[in-house]
Amino acid sequence: MKKIEVGILGATGMVGQRFVSMLEHHPWFEATWLAASDRSAGKKYSEACSWRLREPMPAAARDMMVYECKPGKAPMLVFSSLDSSVAGEIEKEFARAGHVVVSNSSNHRMDPDVPLLIPEVNPDHLALVRTQRKQRGWKGMIVTNPNCTTVGLVMSLAPLERAFGLEKVLMTSMQAVSGAGYPGVPTLDVLANVIPHISGEEEKVEREAHKLLGKLNDGQISKGDFIVSAHCNRVLVEDGHTESVSISLKTRAALEDLIEAWRKFRALPQERGLPTAPKHPIIVREERDRPQPKFDVNAEGGMAAVIGRARPCPVLQFKYTTVSHNTIRGAAGAALLNAELMKSEGYLD
Ligand SMILES: NC(=O)c1ccc[n+]([C@@H]2O[C@H](COP(=O)([O-])OP(=O)(O)OC[C@H]3O[C@@H](n4cnc5c(N)ncnc54)[C@H](OP(=O)(O)O)[C@@H]3O)[C@@H](O)[C@H]2O)c1
């Protein structure tokens, strides 16, 4: 199969680097066009980018020219990891010009006609792009993935919502510094410290969880029927967001029923064998001190939500801990899986 050429908007950033790395050996897509701000445009990628991944920069990317974020010469499919101060307008400009924009940025996630997707959870919401194209009169489209904190939470909630119904959710996060981009949080702020505020994060988690677990009817998404409250904290971890979650359910369930629902969880990406899909989207650990980002963040290539410490909660009903990779499952890997779902549904033909 001839690979589909793809572009990356924001290719020099933390998430952009993940895209470049994850696309190096992708069986369907090939990165042929990189773009970033005018600080980087006109330079070689190796000069423009402060490469911060442990994997080496792919040789093919080193000499690629970085372009300005303007449609025209870009491939039909573009991934976006642009800073949110500019993503909103640039992504619209690309969709208007006929590009398929698969975005990580928060700007359009809550637009009523933009799909916000986790392919294992709500692949049917992709059909919203028909409404989007009709309403906006453009040939292109914008499809988004959730915030890096929302994704681990909602992957852990989805099987429980399906089997038992969710009533209340309380989540406290301990979020990695790579979630703030590069150069990110100043050392003096985060060293030997916990920062109990990440601007806009709690609101994003609460809103996005409702959209992801909502139902699509007649081109509209109704909110999920549960209450959710998030506390978000930044901690001195490199990669991987850890979340302590308490829940109550609408119907009766035993702890073993929750564990079985998580262990059995498989969905469309697994059935179709999409290239970036983890075999096991949820991994349940039994050790009393797991999951930990240090050991569990790269499970299934960084695409799994790892759950552990499931136990009764005296305030709500149950509580547990989950870890997921913020720049893979929470960003570049999430967008790649979205594009793979779109390809398998014929949206990229
Ligand atoms: N980090 C995560 O874990 C994570 C997870 C999920 C979602 N996200 C979202 O993904 C996006 C990127 O995050 P990040 O962590 O990769 O941020 P980052 O490291 O700060 O990278 C930002 C990117 O945007 C580009 N950019 C900045 N200003 C621009 C402008 N005026 N015009 C064109 N390009 C511009 C930068 O290019 P230059 O290098 O040329 O400045 C860089 O490529 C954000 O919207 C973020 O909220 C991040």
mmCIF file of all heavy atoms in Angstrom, residues 204-237:
data_model
loop_
_atom_site.group_PDB
_atom_site.id
_atom_site.type_symbol
_atom_site.label_atom_id
_atom_site.label_comp_id
_atom_site.label_asym_id
_atom_site.label_seq_id
_atom_site.Cartn_x
_atom_site.Cartn_y
_atom_site.Cartn_z
ATOM 1 N N LYS A 204 -11.582 21.510 31.616
ATOM 2 C CA LYS A 204 -11.487 20.677 30.402
ATOM 3 C C LYS A 204 -11.865 19.236 30.722
ATOM 4 O O LYS A 204 -12.642 18.616 30.006
ATOM 5 C CB LYS A 204 -10.053 20.695 29.835
ATOM 6 C CG LYS A 204 -9.701 21.960 29.088
ATOM 7 C CD LYS A 204 -8.279 21.845 28.543
ATOM 8 C CE LYS A 204 -7.715 23.212 28.258
ATOM 9 N NZ LYS A 204 -6.262 23.234 28.102
ATOM 10 N N VAL A 205 -11.314 18.698 31.798
ATOM 11 C CA VAL A 205 -11.580 17.296 32.142
ATOM 12 C C VAL A 205 -13.083 17.099 32.361
ATOM 13 O O VAL A 205 -13.678 16.139 31.851
ATOM 14 C CB VAL A 205 -10.796 16.878 33.407
ATOM 15 C CG1 VAL A 205 -11.208 15.488 33.870
ATOM 16 C CG2 VAL A 205 -9.296 16.933 33.154
ATOM 17 N N GLU A 206 -13.699 18.009 33.080
ATOM 18 C CA GLU A 206 -15.119 17.847 33.413
ATOM 19 C C GLU A 206 -15.990 17.936 32.156
ATOM 20 O O GLU A 206 -16.866 17.105 31.930
ATOM 21 C CB GLU A 206 -15.519 18.891 34.466
ATOM 22 C CG GLU A 206 -14.813 18.624 35.804
ATOM 23 C CD GLU A 206 -14.902 19.778 36.811
ATOM 24 O OE1 GLU A 206 -15.637 20.756 36.532
ATOM 25 O OE2 GLU A 206 -14.227 19.696 37.857
ATOM 26 N N ARG A 207 -15.720 18.949 31.321
ATOM 27 C CA ARG A 207 -16.532 19.123 30.093
ATOM 28 C C ARG A 207 -16.306 17.980 29.115
ATOM 29 O O ARG A 207 -17.235 17.430 28.536
ATOM 30 C CB ARG A 207 -16.097 20.404 29.370
ATOM 31 C CG ARG A 207 -16.622 21.685 29.946
ATOM 32 C CD ARG A 207 -16.461 22.809 28.934
ATOM 33 N NE ARG A 207 -15.078 23.021 28.527
ATOM 34 C CZ ARG A 207 -14.292 23.999 29.003
ATOM 35 N NH1 ARG A 207 -14.762 24.849 29.888
ATOM 36 N NH2 ARG A 207 -13.050 24.139 28.578
ATOM 37 N N GLU A 208 -15.035 17.623 28.912
ATOM 38 C CA GLU A 208 -14.724 16.623 27.882
ATOM 39 C C GLU A 208 -15.257 15.241 28.269
ATOM 40 O O GLU A 208 -15.703 14.485 27.408
ATOM 41 C CB GLU A 208 -13.208 16.571 27.646
ATOM 42 C CG GLU A 208 -12.676 17.840 26.989
ATOM 43 C CD GLU A 208 -11.159 17.868 26.862
ATOM 44 O OE1 GLU A 208 -10.515 16.808 26.991
ATOM 45 O OE2 GLU A 208 -10.615 18.969 26.630
ATOM 46 N N ALA A 209 -15.208 14.904 29.568
ATOM 47 C CA ALA A 209 -15.723 13.596 30.004
ATOM 48 C C ALA A 209 -17.206 13.488 29.660
ATOM 49 O O ALA A 209 -17.687 12.445 29.201
ATOM 50 C CB ALA A 209 -15.500 13.416 31.505
ATOM 51 N N HIS A 210 -17.955 14.572 29.849
ATOM 52 C CA HIS A 210 -19.387 14.566 29.517
ATOM 53 C C HIS A 210 -19.621 14.405 28.024
ATOM 54 O O HIS A 210 -20.541 13.708 27.608
ATOM 55 C CB HIS A 210 -20.051 15.863 29.998
ATOM 56 C CG HIS A 210 -20.407 15.817 31.445
ATOM 57 N ND1 HIS A 210 -20.151 16.852 32.302
ATOM 58 C CD2 HIS A 210 -21.012 14.858 32.185
ATOM 59 C CE1 HIS A 210 -20.578 16.524 33.514
ATOM 60 N NE2 HIS A 210 -21.096 15.318 33.472
ATOM 61 N N LYS A 211 -18.784 15.066 27.197
ATOM 62 C CA LYS A 211 -18.981 14.949 25.738
ATOM 63 C C LYS A 211 -18.612 13.534 25.266
ATOM 64 O O LYS A 211 -19.326 12.920 24.485
ATOM 65 C CB LYS A 211 -18.149 16.015 25.005
ATOM 66 C CG LYS A 211 -18.369 16.016 23.492
ATOM 67 C CD LYS A 211 -17.793 17.248 22.811
ATOM 68 C CE LYS A 211 -17.976 17.171 21.287
ATOM 69 N NZ LYS A 211 -17.457 18.349 20.567
ATOM 70 N N LEU A 212 -17.480 13.009 25.762
ATOM 71 C CA LEU A 212 -17.014 11.687 25.309
ATOM 72 C C LEU A 212 -17.990 10.575 25.679
ATOM 73 O O LEU A 212 -18.176 9.627 24.921
ATOM 74 C CB LEU A 212 -15.651 11.385 25.941
ATOM 75 C CG LEU A 212 -14.481 12.165 25.360
ATOM 76 C CD1 LEU A 212 -13.340 12.268 26.368
ATOM 77 C CD2 LEU A 212 -13.988 11.503 24.064
ATOM 78 N N LEU A 213 -18.585 10.696 26.858
ATOM 79 C CA LEU A 213 -19.500 9.641 27.305
ATOM 80 C C LEU A 213 -20.953 10.014 27.017
ATOM 81 O O LEU A 213 -21.883 9.375 27.514
ATOM 82 C CB LEU A 213 -19.276 9.332 28.793
ATOM 83 C CG LEU A 213 -17.908 8.702 29.088
ATOM 84 C CD1 LEU A 213 -17.649 8.600 30.590
ATOM 85 C CD2 LEU A 213 -17.782 7.312 28.450
ATOM 86 N N GLY A 214 -21.151 11.046 26.195
ATOM 87 C CA GLY A 214 -22.501 11.431 25.779
ATOM 88 C C GLY A 214 -22.945 10.625 24.575
ATOM 89 O O GLY A 214 -22.207 9.798 24.048
ATOM 90 N N LYS A 215 -24.204 10.861 24.158
ATOM 91 C CA LYS A 215 -24.767 10.087 23.024
ATOM 92 C C LYS A 215 -24.985 10.994 21.827
ATOM 93 O O LYS A 215 -25.447 12.129 21.967
ATOM 94 C CB LYS A 215 -26.132 9.496 23.421
ATOM 95 C CG LYS A 215 -26.079 8.567 24.611
ATOM 96 C CD LYS A 215 -26.093 7.109 24.179
ATOM 97 C CE LYS A 215 -25.921 6.141 25.326
ATOM 98 N NZ LYS A 215 -24.707 6.251 26.124
ATOM 99 N N LEU A 216 -24.675 10.449 20.640
ATOM 100 C CA LEU A 216 -24.911 11.200 19.401
ATOM 101 C C LEU A 216 -26.287 10.832 18.848
ATOM 102 O O LEU A 216 -26.570 9.665 18.584
ATOM 103 C CB LEU A 216 -23.834 10.842 18.361
ATOM 104 C CG LEU A 216 -24.009 11.451 16.973
ATOM 105 C CD1 LEU A 216 -23.858 12.974 17.000
ATOM 106 C CD2 LEU A 216 -23.005 10.857 15.986
ATOM 107 N N ASN A 217 -27.146 11.850 18.711
ATOM 108 C CA ASN A 217 -28.474 11.663 18.119
ATOM 109 C C ASN A 217 -28.777 12.830 17.210
ATOM 110 O O ASN A 217 -28.647 13.976 17.642
ATOM 111 C CB ASN A 217 -29.565 11.650 19.224
ATOM 112 C CG ASN A 217 -29.685 10.297 19.850
ATOM 113 O OD1 ASN A 217 -29.673 9.298 19.144
ATOM 114 N ND2 ASN A 217 -29.761 10.269 21.178
ATOM 115 N N ASP A 218 -29.202 12.541 15.975
ATOM 116 C CA ASP A 218 -29.576 13.603 15.029
ATOM 117 C C ASP A 218 -28.523 14.709 14.940
ATOM 118 O O ASP A 218 -28.856 15.898 15.019
ATOM 119 C CB ASP A 218 -30.920 14.252 15.435
ATOM 120 C CG ASP A 218 -32.061 13.274 15.282
ATOM 121 O OD1 ASP A 218 -31.927 12.349 14.455
ATOM 122 O OD2 ASP A 218 -33.066 13.441 15.998
ATOM 123 N N GLY A 219 -27.281 14.343 14.835
ATOM 124 C CA GLY A 219 -26.216 15.339 14.644
ATOM 125 C C GLY A 219 -25.894 16.165 15.879
ATOM 126 O O GLY A 219 -25.235 17.201 15.784
ATOM 127 N N GLN A 220 -26.363 15.712 17.057
ATOM 128 C CA GLN A 220 -26.060 16.448 18.303
ATOM 129 C C GLN A 220 -25.631 15.481 19.394
ATOM 130 O O GLN A 220 -26.146 14.359 19.454
ATOM 131 C CB GLN A 220 -27.314 17.169 18.787
ATOM 132 C CG GLN A 220 -27.631 18.393 17.971
ATOM 133 C CD GLN A 220 -28.701 19.234 18.650
ATOM 134 O OE1 GLN A 220 -29.584 18.677 19.311
ATOM 135 N NE2 GLN A 220 -28.635 20.530 18.470
ATOM 136 N N ILE A 221 -24.755 15.973 20.274
ATOM 137 C CA ILE A 221 -24.329 15.107 21.377
ATOM 138 C C ILE A 221 -24.970 15.556 22.673
ATOM 139 O O ILE A 221 -24.865 16.736 23.050
ATOM 140 C CB ILE A 221 -22.789 15.113 21.495
ATOM 141 C CG1 ILE A 221 -22.222 14.423 20.260
ATOM 142 C CG2 ILE A 221 -22.329 14.413 22.766
ATOM 143 C CD1 ILE A 221 -20.754 14.384 20.155
ATOM 144 N N SER A 222 -25.665 14.610 23.318
ATOM 145 C CA SER A 222 -26.219 14.941 24.642
ATOM 146 C C SER A 222 -25.177 14.550 25.687
ATOM 147 O O SER A 222 -24.477 13.539 25.552
ATOM 148 C CB SER A 222 -27.524 14.192 24.869
ATOM 149 O OG SER A 222 -27.289 12.815 24.683
ATOM 150 N N LYS A 223 -25.060 15.369 26.735
ATOM 151 C CA LYS A 223 -24.034 15.152 27.773
ATOM 152 C C LYS A 223 -24.234 13.834 28.519
ATOM 153 O O LYS A 223 -25.377 13.421 28.744
ATOM 154 C CB LYS A 223 -24.146 16.271 28.819
ATOM 155 C CG LYS A 223 -23.458 17.560 28.433
ATOM 156 C CD LYS A 223 -23.750 18.658 29.449
ATOM 157 C CE LYS A 223 -23.364 18.295 30.858
ATOM 158 N NZ LYS A 223 -23.441 19.398 31.820
ATOM 159 N N GLY A 224 -23.152 13.206 28.925
ATOM 160 C CA GLY A 224 -23.248 12.030 29.789
ATOM 161 C C GLY A 224 -23.978 12.392 31.086
ATOM 162 O O GLY A 224 -23.824 13.509 31.588
ATOM 163 N N ASP A 225 -24.729 11.419 31.610
ATOM 164 C CA ASP A 225 -25.587 11.692 32.766
ATOM 165 C C ASP A 225 -24.878 11.295 34.081
ATOM 166 O O ASP A 225 -25.198 10.265 34.681
ATOM 167 C CB ASP A 225 -26.897 10.906 32.559
ATOM 168 C CG ASP A 225 -27.823 11.034 33.737
ATOM 169 O OD1 ASP A 225 -27.770 12.074 34.425
ATOM 170 O OD2 ASP A 225 -28.592 10.070 33.995
ATOM 171 N N PHE A 226 -23.874 12.067 34.471
ATOM 172 C CA PHE A 226 -23.175 11.817 35.739
ATOM 173 C C PHE A 226 -22.535 13.129 36.190
ATOM 174 O O PHE A 226 -22.435 14.085 35.418
ATOM 175 C CB PHE A 226 -22.102 10.708 35.575
ATOM 176 C CG PHE A 226 -21.123 10.979 34.468
ATOM 177 C CD1 PHE A 226 -19.940 11.665 34.713
ATOM 178 C CD2 PHE A 226 -21.382 10.567 33.169
ATOM 179 C CE1 PHE A 226 -19.043 11.936 33.700
ATOM 180 C CE2 PHE A 226 -20.483 10.829 32.139
ATOM 181 C CZ PHE A 226 -19.316 11.520 32.401
ATOM 182 N N ILE A 227 -22.115 13.155 37.451
ATOM 183 C CA ILE A 227 -21.438 14.348 37.970
ATOM 184 C C ILE A 227 -19.946 14.046 38.041
ATOM 185 O O ILE A 227 -19.556 12.954 38.479
ATOM 186 C CB ILE A 227 -21.919 14.676 39.403
ATOM 187 C CG1 ILE A 227 -23.439 14.806 39.444
ATOM 188 C CG2 ILE A 227 -21.285 15.973 39.907
ATOM 189 C CD1 ILE A 227 -23.967 14.916 40.868
ATOM 190 N N VAL A 228 -19.126 15.021 37.627
ATOM 191 C CA VAL A 228 -17.674 14.782 37.708
ATOM 192 C C VAL A 228 -16.982 16.021 38.263
ATOM 193 O O VAL A 228 -17.320 17.153 37.914
ATOM 194 C CB VAL A 228 -17.103 14.369 36.321
ATOM 195 C CG1 VAL A 228 -17.472 15.330 35.230
ATOM 196 C CG2 VAL A 228 -15.580 14.187 36.369
ATOM 197 N N SER A 229 -16.032 15.782 39.161
ATOM 198 C CA SER A 229 -15.250 16.882 39.732
ATOM 199 C C SER A 229 -13.768 16.505 39.654
ATOM 200 O O SER A 229 -13.385 15.394 40.022
ATOM 201 C CB SER A 229 -15.671 17.093 41.190
ATOM 202 O OG SER A 229 -14.809 18.018 41.805
ATOM 203 N N ALA A 230 -12.950 17.446 39.140
ATOM 204 C CA ALA A 230 -11.512 17.156 38.955
ATOM 205 C C ALA A 230 -10.660 18.108 39.782
ATOM 206 O O ALA A 230 -10.945 19.306 39.858
ATOM 207 C CB ALA A 230 -11.159 17.289 37.477
ATOM 208 N N HIS A 231 -9.595 17.564 40.405
ATOM 209 C CA HIS A 231 -8.535 18.369 41.038
ATOM 210 C C HIS A 231 -7.269 18.073 40.254
ATOM 211 O O HIS A 231 -6.879 16.902 40.167
ATOM 212 C CB HIS A 231 -8.257 17.931 42.468
ATOM 213 C CG HIS A 231 -9.437 17.956 43.386
ATOM 214 N ND1 HIS A 231 -9.618 18.945 44.317
ATOM 215 C CD2 HIS A 231 -10.458 17.094 43.533
ATOM 216 C CE1 HIS A 231 -10.723 18.695 45.002
ATOM 217 N NE2 HIS A 231 -11.254 17.581 44.547
ATOM 218 N N CYS A 232 -6.621 19.090 39.694
ATOM 219 C CA CYS A 232 -5.437 18.819 38.855
ATOM 220 C C CYS A 232 -4.181 19.444 39.457
ATOM 221 O O CYS A 232 -4.175 20.625 39.800
ATOM 222 C CB CYS A 232 -5.665 19.343 37.439
ATOM 223 S SG CYS A 232 -6.973 18.433 36.593
ATOM 224 N N ASN A 233 -3.133 18.640 39.542
ATOM 225 C CA ASN A 233 -1.862 19.068 40.148
ATOM 226 C C ASN A 233 -0.700 18.740 39.231
ATOM 227 O O ASN A 233 -0.700 17.697 38.571
ATOM 228 C CB ASN A 233 -1.632 18.302 41.464
ATOM 229 C CG ASN A 233 -2.790 18.458 42.424
ATOM 230 O OD1 ASN A 233 -2.974 19.516 43.004
ATOM 231 N ND2 ASN A 233 -3.596 17.412 42.564
ATOM 232 N N ARG A 234 0.306 19.616 39.223
ATOM 233 C CA ARG A 234 1.535 19.337 38.461
ATOM 234 C C ARG A 234 2.582 18.808 39.431
ATOM 235 O O ARG A 234 2.786 19.400 40.512
ATOM 236 C CB ARG A 234 2.027 20.628 37.809
ATOM 237 C CG ARG A 234 3.223 20.449 36.915
ATOM 238 C CD ARG A 234 2.912 19.885 35.548
ATOM 239 N NE ARG A 234 2.091 20.763 34.747
ATOM 240 C CZ ARG A 234 1.384 20.361 33.693
ATOM 241 N NH1 ARG A 234 1.366 19.093 33.323
ATOM 242 N NH2 ARG A 234 0.664 21.214 33.004
ATOM 243 N N VAL A 235 3.256 17.708 39.072
ATOM 244 C CA VAL A 235 4.295 17.115 39.928
ATOM 245 C C VAL A 235 5.558 16.874 39.102
ATOM 246 O O VAL A 235 5.513 16.904 37.877
ATOM 247 C CB VAL A 235 3.810 15.786 40.555
ATOM 248 C CG1 VAL A 235 2.619 16.013 41.466
ATOM 249 C CG2 VAL A 235 3.464 14.757 39.470
ATOM 250 N N LEU A 236 6.642 16.597 39.788
ATOM 251 C CA LEU A 236 7.926 16.473 39.096
ATOM 252 C C LEU A 236 8.130 15.053 38.554
ATOM 253 O O LEU A 236 8.987 14.306 39.009
ATOM 254 C CB LEU A 236 9.065 16.889 40.026
ATOM 255 C CG LEU A 236 10.401 17.182 39.342
ATOM 256 C CD1 LEU A 236 10.254 18.149 38.182
ATOM 257 C CD2 LEU A 236 11.399 17.708 40.336
ATOM 258 N N VAL A 237 7.298 14.704 37.573
ATOM 259 C CA VAL A 237 7.408 13.428 36.850
ATOM 260 C C VAL A 237 7.639 13.803 35.404
ATOM 261 O O VAL A 237 7.067 14.787 34.933
ATOM 262 C CB VAL A 237 6.086 12.628 37.010
ATOM 263 C CG1 VAL A 237 5.993 11.495 36.009
ATOM 264 C CG2 VAL A 237 5.951 12.093 38.428
#
